[in-house]
Amino acid sequence: MQTFLPFADFRESAAALDTSRLGKQRVEALQVLRALVIPEYGWQQHPAVRMWMGHVPALTLYGLAMADEWMKRGHPDNTRDNIAEFAPQAAHPDYASRIIMPPWLGHEDLHLSHRSKLMGKDPKHYAQVFPGTEEKLEYVWPEPKHEFHPEDPEDDRLLILRANVEDLTPEQLTTVSMPPHGKAKAAPAADPDEYQFVYAEEKSRRQVGGPKKRPVQQREKKPTRKRQAQEQAFNTLPGKTELAVPFDGGQTFAVGLIQGRPITVDGRFARNFEVTSVIKRSDFDYPALLQDPRVFFPVPAPAL
């Protein structure tokens, strides 16, 4: 994880990056933004996250510069809108100019270390972009002046449940349950030769007519501790608890109340649910929190 800054200027840095690394920087910036803002996301102690603590708008501006350069080179983008949610003012030039930058921005030792690391990753490309740059310098990792770690709201909150809604409309939702946690992927073969078809005359490792290797079985994936905690929290919800279920890829939310006692739907623990209103993503005070990957989590309740 890294946010490459060969120069102090974000757009100049984006223009200097090779196309492969530029594409990754959009995702890296979004990853760091989520780590800074979303509780339990992880990566809080990574130096690439710590250096941006307290400067989410500036990092948003960086991410937008990477996305804009990526699209300028003719590539489709699916990150810009998500990046912009963390600091919408960064997308407007009149407000972006007022964003406070990190104190380390402009320190030549940091930018030189990034140019040096880029040289090592793609010497052919960066030798022309950064001529005369010393190679194999270590990264300079600035430390934050203050620690900022996101926490879930305790009061005045709304629970979000990523239930499977299939082809339902928000008004048709009458029961809610946790989505299944899925299955583990088949383990990759240790030696590809073991699984390749080889003719006998090509000196097969296995005798003709010998026992065939058994196919790898799909194994049921065990839920993580975090997922187990989310399921426990959902399973013990009291009646009349308010929660919201996303529709349309998280652009619309059915808000309602848990009703009655637990039930079973298709063999899964579920609750009856009464929809009381349908709201938009823009109704939330800070929609970026809805990018939380958890299937059950709280956000500050929108002031409707």
Side-chain angles (χ1 to χ4, degrees):
M1 181 183 289
Q2 178 57 291
T3 48
F4 280 111
L5 281 162
F7 305 108
D9 183 272
F10 296 160
R11 296 196 176 275
E12 185 181 4
S13 292
L17 294 177
D18 65 278
T19 299
S20 175
R21 216 155 309 280
L22 173 66
K24 293 177 182 177
Q25 286 310 288
R26 302 168 304 135
V27 180
E28 296 284 276
L30 184 56
Q31 198 80 321
V32 176
L33 284 166
R34 289 172 174 170
L36 290 170
V37 169
I38 295 175
E40 297 188 23
Y41 191 81
W43 301 101
Q44 273 88 10
Q45 295 306 322
H46 193 286
V49 174
R50 292 182 59 81
M51 66 185 282
W52 288 101
M53 279 184 176
H55 295 282
V56 166
L59 178 56
T60 302
L61 198 61
Y62 170 89
L64 293 177
M66 297 295 151
D68 289 345
E69 176 66 24
W70 176 254
M71 290 186 289
K72 181 180 176 181
R73 298 187 192 182
H75 303 288
D77 174 77
N78 60 357
T79 64
R80 196 180 195 281
D81 289 345
N82 284 336
I83 291 170
E85 272 195 332
F86 287 88
Q89 68 272 31
H92 300 281
D94 292 343
Y95 297 97
S97 60
R98 305 176 190 176
I99 291 175
I100 298 174
M101 294 295 159
W104 44 257
L105 192 67
H107 288 192
E108 183 55 24
D109 58 341
L110 181 144
H111 302 301
L112 177 60
S113 75
H114 285 205
R115 294 196 294 271
S116 178
K117 286 295 184 182
L118 287 168
M119 284 279 290
K121 292 179 181 296
D122 190 342
K124 185 177 180 180
H125 175 83
Y126 290 107
Q128 300 176 10
V129 183
F130 312 135
T133 297
E134 183 179 350
E135 297 185 42
K136 298 183 180 180
L137 295 178
E138 293 299 321
Y139 280 122
V140 172
W141 297 110
E143 277 293 302
K145 287 187 176 181
H146 304 284
E147 295 271 345
F148 294 96
H149 297 288
E151 296 181 354
D152 284 324
E154 293 292 336
D155 303 312
D156 195 21
R157 65 184 194 167
L158 178 64
L159 294 168
I160 306 296
L161 173 65
R162 300 192 188 282
N164 287 337
V165 295
E166 298 179 345
D167 297 326
L168 296 175
T169 65
E171 294 80 6
Q172 293 173 321
L173 190 63
T174 58
T175 62
V176 291
S177 61
M178 295 278 284
H181 58 266
K183 295 182 178 180
K185 295 180 180 179
D191 182 356
D193 289 340
E194 291 184 57
Y195 293 86
Q196 291 178 343
F197 181 81
V198 183
Y199 288 102
E201 58 267 27
E202 294 183 41
K203 298 181 181 180
S204 169
R205 294 184 179 184
R206 178 170 56 83
Q207 294 180 354
V208 177
K212 296 182 179 179
K213 191 173 185 68
R214 293 181 179 179
V216 178
Q217 294 182 347
Q218 289 285 81
R219 293 178 297 175
E220 188 71 20
K221 185 179 179 181
K222 294 182 179 179
T224 63
R225 289 184 180 179
K226 287 186 178 181
R227 175 58 188 265
Q228 290 176 8
Q230 293 165 37
E231 291 184 352
Q232 176 67 15
F234 174 74
N235 293 351
T236 56
L237 284 178
K240 302 297 182 182
T241 297
E242 187 176 48
L243 59 82
V245 177
F247 283 76
D248 306 321
Q251 297 306 307
T252 305
F253 290 78
V255 181
L257 300 173
I258 294 292
Q259 299 291 324
R261 295 184 177 184
I263 59 174
T264 300
V265 176
D266 296 330
R268 295 185 59 79
F269 182 95
R271 304 296 296 271
N272 287 310
F273 186 69
E274 180 183 354
V275 177
T276 56
S277 63
V278 178
I279 64 176
K280 298 179 180 179
R281 190 182 188 91
S282 57
D283 291 325
F284 288 85
D285 293 336
Y286 195 34
L289 291 173
L290 299 170
Q291 296 184 35
D292 196 317
R294 291 177 290 179
V295 296
F296 187 60
F297 59 96
V299 298
L304 299 175

